[in-house]
Amino acid sequence: NAGVMQNPRHLVRRRGQEARLRCSPMKGHSHVYWYRQLPEEGLKFMVYLQKENIIDESGMPKERFSAEFPKEGPSILRIQQVVRGDSAAYFCASSPDRSGRNTEAFFGQGTRLTVV
Amino acid sequence: AQSVTQLGSHVSVSEGALVLLRCNYSSSVPPYLFWYVQYPNQGLQLLLKYTSAATLVKGINGFEAEFKKSETSFHLTKPSAHMSDAAEYFCAVSSLQKLVFGTGTRLLVSP
């Protein structure tokens, strides 16, 4: 059973370009979470999705950032018109279909975005 | 809202010494608490979790944590550090179906 798969592992974008980060959850998981980790900081929650629905986007910046988890295919975190401050590691996590408060999340290895 | 505070951004120990990483929580409901470990350039791996079944929780790699309601703490310990334990450790609390993380503690192990 493959773990949470994120790609690419490393992504370099010039200022103003778009970044697309992909996450395939573990088999049998329908809950996906995106977190951002800035250097020397902890993980900050961005968004929580279930298939075709955004459940909680309270951590998403109001502009340029969007996320989706379509019925088929991976979850996508999209950052438009990237700026240097977007440089960070972005982690995806998933949890099983019958998740409750006591259910842990399983993390991917992250995508390290560098904006030059 | 639930939150956790990790005291000490860096902890240094000698190989074979006791490891103690501190985590205090704030929660208006009985908390579900987690410890994760992150090795360099890797994702997060679950060490252990507290879900109210037992106050002393044993995890992987010889780590354990004790839930103390009176102290609102969930400190992580290991009796004897290995060089391979050098990593960053994150405490987290479950809040509204998502995990809220502390700022992390980097564990340094010297020979």
Side-chain angles (χ1 to χ4, degrees):
Chain A
N1 186 9
V4 178
M5 304 299 292
Q6 288 190 250
N7 67 81
R9 290 290 308 276
H10 300 276
L11 181 62
V12 179
R13 285 288 176 265
R14 295 187 183 279
R15 281 179 295 171
Q17 290 185 320
E18 177 180 288
R20 283 192 175 224
L21 288 62
R22 293 175 183 76
C23 169
S24 296
M26 289 179 68
K27 187 177 180 181
H29 289 194
S30 61
H31 302 250
V32 166
Y33 312 82
W34 285 94
Y35 288 83
R36 176 164 63 176
Q37 184 178 34
L38 293 165
E40 303 303 317
E41 293 188 19
L43 281 80
K44 301 294 186 188
F45 169 78
M46 299 182 75
V47 63
Y48 163 37
L49 311 104
Q50 294 181 23
K51 283 284 187 181
E52 300 184 279
N53 289 303
I54 296 175
I55 307 301
D56 181 350
E57 57 181 348
S58 58
M60 286 280 269
K62 294 287 184 271
E63 297 177 349
R64 301 187 297 108
F65 285 72
S66 62
E68 62 177 10
F69 188 18
K71 186 176 180 180
E72 301 292 337
S75 175
I76 306 287
L77 179 68
R78 183 181 176 206
I79 311 172
Q80 295 178 293
Q81 300 174 336
V82 296
V83 301
R84 287 232 171 97
D86 296 333
S87 296
Y90 293 82
F91 289 95
C92 171
S94 71
S95 61
D97 292 350
R98 294 174 189 266
S99 289
R101 286 182 58 228
N102 63 344
T103 306
E104 69 267 29
F106 295 81
F107 282 79
Q109 296 199 319
T111 293
R112 281 152 183 83
L113 172 66
T114 303
V115 179
V116 297
Chain B
Q2 284 80 9
S3 65
V4 290
T5 301
Q6 291 184 245
L7 297 175
S9 59
H10 292 79
V11 169
S12 295
V13 299
S14 299
E15 194 173 17
L18 170 71
V19 175
L20 170 60
L21 305 181
R22 299 177 186 275
C23 174
N24 288 89
Y25 69 88
S26 173
S27 179
S28 54
V29 298
Y32 291 110
L33 297 160
F34 305 80
W35 275 99
Y36 281 83
V37 60
Q38 185 182 29
Y39 297 101
N41 299 314
Q42 299 292 317
L44 276 71
Q45 180 183 5
L46 181 71
L47 277 175
L48 49 81
K49 66 177 182 181
Y50 168 74
T51 58
S52 76
T55 56
L56 183 63
V57 182
K58 294 189 182 299
I60 62 171
N61 301 340
F63 284 93
E64 62 182 34
E66 186 172 8
F67 174 76
K68 291 187 177 180
K69 184 177 179 181
S70 60
E71 298 177 9
T72 61
S73 69
F74 189 56
H75 301 332
L76 182 71
T77 60
K78 182 173 180 177
S80 175
H82 274 225
M83 295 296 290
S84 59
D85 294 326
E88 186 135 26
Y89 292 80
F90 292 95
C91 181
V93 63
S94 177
S95 174
L96 299 175
Q97 292 189 285
K98 62 182 183 282
L99 293 176
V100 175
F101 286 88
T103 50
T105 298
R106 187 172 299 278
L107 177 65
L108 307 168
V109 183
S110 56

